Amino acid sequence: MIRWSGLLTQSGRRVVLGIGANAIGKVWVAIIQLVSIPVLAGAWGAERFGLWLMIMTVPTYIALTSTGFNAVAGVDIARSHVQGRIEDCKRTYQSVWILISAITGTVVLLGLLSRLLLAAAGGEQWGLGASEAADTAAVILVYAFLVIQSSMVLAVYRGVSRYAEGTLLFDLIGLAEGLAAIVVAALGGSLVKAAVAMTLVRLSGMLVLHVLIVRREPWAHARLSAASRTEIRRLLQPSLGALSIAAANALALQGVVVTLGVALGPAAAAAFASARTVVRLPLQLSDLVGRAVQPEMARAWFAQDHRTFWHLTHLNVGFAVLALTIYALFLSAFGPIVLKRLSGGSISYEQGLITALAIAVAFQGANVALGHAISAQLRQHTYGHIYLAAACLAVLLPFAMAHNSEPITAVAFGLAALEALILATLLVNLRQTRQSDNKSQTA
């Protein structure tokens, strides 16, 4: 049972502000997407715009190299900060910062070196504009490095209970760089110039983000004085758990579409991907709460305020279940009509596909909500490997279901079964934690 009176506190107000910041960020992303598609496609043409979209996937994949440590750093900083151990905050931040910088910096340097070697092998005199695709990719590599750096600074905001402020500033940088690319393209600029504009905006925004948090938290300098290998080793296990979860999500989202295309053809992949996009919409809504709640859950857990921790867990799970239930009812009545309208009747959908995907997404929404609670305790490693194994199985489902009468629907039901397995694992995990918590309080 959710005790709402327990949330009418400073922690509760921070959660509400965080939800608002997340919602504003979603609006900004929607604005950029709606404006950029016609402007960029009109300015560059379909082929060059497609090339831009392909190149812009680079930051996403590079970010995976830092996802685990970045996520864990924010929670660990919250633990030290709430306990007044400022030197530990500094040690965690600087240790993780140098590790992430070294890993992503090496990836970026290798990419830039590859560009130089390819230019030399082709007899080019390398410079911006010599090869639009390669040069744009080279600039975007630098941009990706800066995105990861600003994400690390954002981890400090979240760790010191400034989630709403950090999220608003971080999303504002994204809005500004998106508008910069749009303006450059509208004025006749190339892909390379648009990438340079985004990079410069990101650099400026990152510096502002850093200066503002250092004024409030003087220890949050990106230096090496407190960096420690011991600290990195201590955070390794939960970080690998967080990385496993991120990799599993990426694999399940993109890998299944690819193997569906291979096993059943592009039409099957299009049907599955478009239907899943519609069905997954409530996950975006429930995550507005989940992302805002997690920093407060971590703060409450490590402050030994377990009562608030469990209240926030109930709030998060309850909201996710409510949003998914309402949307499931909507899909049962209007799902086929929505899909037909969106596809213009050009995509054929199996009769049971929406139902199967709705069940899979319902389990996934509960998993995401429960996962926030476990991540707030720095225990991602207790289920990350199971999630990754399930994602690997999910990628193989299209081949196993290829001879089914409704193969796409069968794949969706298979995904639902795997998500149900993860849900059972998370429930057992949290039940054991709750029992242990109750015993410690009565001892």
Side-chain angles (χ1 to χ4, degrees):
M1 176 181 176
I2 302 174
R3 299 183 182 180
W4 299 101
S5 60
L7 298 176
L8 300 179
T9 61
Q10 188 175 5
S11 175
R13 288 192 291 273
R14 287 196 295 263
V15 169
V16 172
L17 289 174
I19 294 172
N22 286 337
I24 292 172
K26 294 289 185 183
V27 172
W28 288 344
V29 169
I31 290 173
I32 290 297
Q33 289 178 339
L34 290 174
V35 175
S36 66
I37 292 175
V39 174
L40 300 186
W44 292 334
E47 185 174 342
R48 293 175 72 210
F49 178 54
L51 176 62
W52 172 262
L53 293 178
M54 292 171 63
I55 293 173
M56 287 307 297
T57 63
V58 172
T60 301
Y61 288 104
I62 291 181
L64 280 176
T65 63
S66 64
T67 297
F69 276 98
N70 205 331
V72 169
V75 177
D76 199 67
I77 289 171
R79 173 168 62 181
S80 299
H81 193 266
V82 76
Q83 295 173 355
R85 296 184 284 109
I86 302 303
E87 280 302 312
D88 288 344
C89 292
K90 180 178 179 181
R91 185 178 300 107
T92 296
Y93 177 59
Q94 293 188 4
S95 298
V96 174
W97 172 75
I98 188 60
L99 178 66
I100 289 177
S101 298
I103 294 174
T104 57
T106 299
V107 172
V108 170
L109 287 175
L110 287 175
L112 295 177
L113 180 60
S114 298
R115 169 65 187 116
L116 289 171
L117 292 176
L118 287 173
E124 298 179 24
Q125 183 177 359
W126 186 76
L128 293 180
S131 173
E132 186 172 48
D135 292 338
T136 302
V139 176
I140 290 300
L141 281 173
V142 178
Y143 164 79
F145 178 80
L146 295 175
V147 169
I148 292 169
Q149 291 289 307
S150 53
S151 296
M152 190 63 219
V153 179
L154 180 61
V156 178
Y157 279 86
R158 294 177 174 177
V160 299
S161 297
R162 294 184 177 275
Y163 178 92
E165 178 186 352
T167 298
L168 279 174
L169 291 171
F170 188 85
D171 290 343
L172 183 60
I173 297 171
L175 174 65
E177 65 192 22
L179 290 175
I182 290 171
V183 170
V184 169
L187 294 176
S190 64
L191 272 66
V192 178
K193 291 181 179 179
V196 170
M198 288 183 63
T199 302
L200 292 176
V201 171
R202 173 60 62 170
L203 175 61
S204 301
M206 183 195 71
L207 292 175
V208 171
L209 201 66
H210 177 73
V211 168
L212 290 177
I213 195 60
V214 168
R215 285 181 179 178
R216 295 171 172 83
E217 304 288 339
W219 55 265
H221 283 285
R223 296 173 179 169
L224 301 178
S225 58
S228 165
R229 291 182 182 179
T230 302
E231 186 72 1
I232 293 173
R233 286 194 294 268
R234 182 179 68 83
L235 298 173
L236 182 61
Q237 189 178 46
S239 297
L240 290 177
L243 178 59
S244 296
I245 296 168
N249 286 330
L251 192 61
L253 282 174
Q254 301 176 12
V256 175
V257 175
V258 173
T259 53
L260 264 171
V262 173
L264 302 171
F272 179 86
S274 57
R276 187 176 62 180
T277 298
V278 172
V279 174
R280 281 177 54 86
L281 287 176
L283 290 182
Q284 298 294 324
L285 176 62
S286 62
D287 197 41
L288 294 180
V289 175
R291 287 196 300 157
V293 165
Q294 187 184 24
E296 294 304 318
M297 294 169 80
R299 187 176 183 87
W301 181 260
F302 294 116
Q304 300 301 311
D305 184 6
H306 292 184
R307 181 187 181 91
T308 297
F309 172 85
W310 292 114
H311 286 173
L312 291 172
T313 299
H314 294 157
L315 169 66
N316 190 25
V317 175
F319 182 85
V321 170
L322 178 62
L324 290 165
T325 300
I326 294 174
Y327 194 65
L329 294 174
F330 169 80
L331 284 176
S332 64
F334 304 106
I337 298 174
V338 172
L339 284 176
K340 186 176 181 179
R341 292 284 179 85
L342 288 176
S343 66
S346 60
I347 299 177
S348 177
Y349 297 96
E350 295 174 358
Q351 188 172 1
L353 180 59
I354 292 179
T355 300
L357 283 174
I359 294 172
V361 169
F363 284 134
Q364 186 180 13
N367 290 339
V368 171
L370 292 172
H372 281 306
I374 295 177
S375 297
Q377 301 171 4
L378 288 179
R379 297 193 304 111
Q380 298 95 321
H381 58 282
T382 59
Y383 78 101
H385 60 291
I386 300 176
Y387 216 150
L388 184 57
C392 292
L393 289 175
V395 171
L396 299 176
L397 282 174
F399 300 106
M401 304 298 181
H403 300 293
N404 195 285
S405 59
E406 288 194 341
I408 309 175
T409 301
V411 169
F413 274 120
L415 291 174
L418 291 173
E419 291 290 349
L421 173 64
I422 299 300
L423 178 59
T425 301
L426 294 177
L427 286 173
V428 170
N429 191 317
L430 284 174
R431 182 182 179 184
Q432 292 173 344
T433 302
R434 187 64 183 266
Q435 290 175 342
S436 176
D437 192 17
N438 291 337
K439 288 180 181 179
S440 64
Q441 290 182 7
T442 56

